[in-house]
Amino acid sequence: MTSSADSPLSVPAPQGHRLAALHVAGRAPTVVWLGGFRSDMRGTKAERLSEQAARSGHAFLRFDYSGHGESEGRFEDGTISSWTEDARAAIEALAPQGPLVLVGSSMGAWIALRLAMSWADQPGRVAGLVLLAPAPDFTSRLLEPRLTEAQRAEMAQNGFVSEASPYDPRPTVYTRTLIEDGRNASVMTGPIRTGCPVHIIQGMADPDVPHTHALELLNFLPGEGVALTLVPGGDHRLSREEDLSRMEKAVASFLELAQS
């Protein structure tokens, strides 16, 4: 099943509404883009991966989580668990067989890790993980510790807090449900068994996810088959030309490895 760049496919979400997805058929492995919190499937990195897949002839899948981009649903109703199930639904609908290379950005890296862990008993299903500015467990490890007393009181009273976003004119909303679910969905609590090689690319000038978070993540991943690239001057978006090139090379290496 193939979609055009302007006409996304419609995939049933577990919650009953529809997810928007773009899928280009090609050879295995399928490259799957897993975007970040409040991002959408038409961003710079996803477009670059689509171009790379077109050149190499590999299948490529990207989609919007519920409440994101062109998908149905309310953003405020989403959680890490529900967005993980969105990802699983899109993949099982459009890339049900064959190996996958999961490329996760920020929150998408958390979702990529959760998917890989759930498929670890299916050897070869995930051929590799490319994690860009990975933010697993960001709700408990990065968000909660920086909430002010006033924000905590607002959360207790209203069930959410909102903050100005440097990336969007609309404020970013964090719900109590998101934070509570994030604790249950945590992965940095013990060994993270992905069953595949992992390449982390992390900017050292990232104001949202400090590079120390990526270093801490390494402690939970098996040493063999795990690479970390620290990028001096790299920010959270990692969308400069040199950053996009690093991403492409990491993805290409996993595609080549899966076919060798």
Side-chain angles (χ1 to χ4, degrees), residues 78-247:
T79 63
I80 302 302
S81 294
S82 68
W83 291 326
T84 300
E85 292 313 304
D86 285 347
R88 191 187 310 278
I91 292 169
E92 290 181 349
L94 298 173
Q97 297 180 334
L100 309 168
V101 173
L102 304 180
V103 186
S105 176
S106 193
M107 181 189 76
W110 187 355
I111 290 173
L113 287 167
R114 284 171 50 79
L115 289 172
M117 293 170 71
S118 73
W119 288 326
D121 62 346
Q122 300 179 40
R125 178 58 167 152
V126 181
L129 297 178
V130 178
L131 308 180
L132 310 171
D137 302 8
F138 79 88
T139 50
S140 60
R141 290 177 175 265
L142 301 177
L143 173 60
E144 282 193 272
R146 67 171 176 77
L147 291 177
T148 65
E149 287 303 318
Q151 287 176 313
R152 294 177 189 276
E154 181 184 354
M155 180 77 76
Q157 179 175 346
N158 301 327
F160 68 92
V161 295
S162 59
E163 295 181 333
S165 169
Y167 309 111
D168 194 304
R170 299 167 300 172
T172 300
V173 175
Y174 301 105
T175 66
R176 180 168 55 221
T177 303
L178 173 74
I179 291 175
E180 291 173 349
D181 176 80
R183 297 190 195 112
N184 295 327
S186 295
V187 295
M188 295 171 65
T189 56
I192 300 175
R193 306 194 186 283
T194 63
C196 67
V198 180
H199 191 155
I200 298 169
I201 303 176
Q202 172 68 50
M204 295 187 71
D206 187 335
D208 301 307
V209 179
H211 72 275
T212 51
H213 190 69
L215 295 174
E216 189 173 1
L217 174 59
L218 287 179
N219 294 327
F220 298 94
L221 292 167
E224 185 177 354
V226 177
L228 168 64
T229 299
L230 292 175
V231 183
D235 63 9
H236 189 60
R237 287 190 165 183
L238 291 174
S239 292
R240 302 172 303 176
E241 180 58 34
E242 57 264 44
D243 301 324
L244 297 171
S245 178
R246 287 187 187 92
M247 175 186 70

Side-chain angles (χ1 to χ4, degrees), residues 4-19:
S4 73
D6 296 323
S7 302
L9 299 167
S10 179
V11 176
Q15 299 88 350
H17 50 258
R18 312 294 293 184
L19 303 175

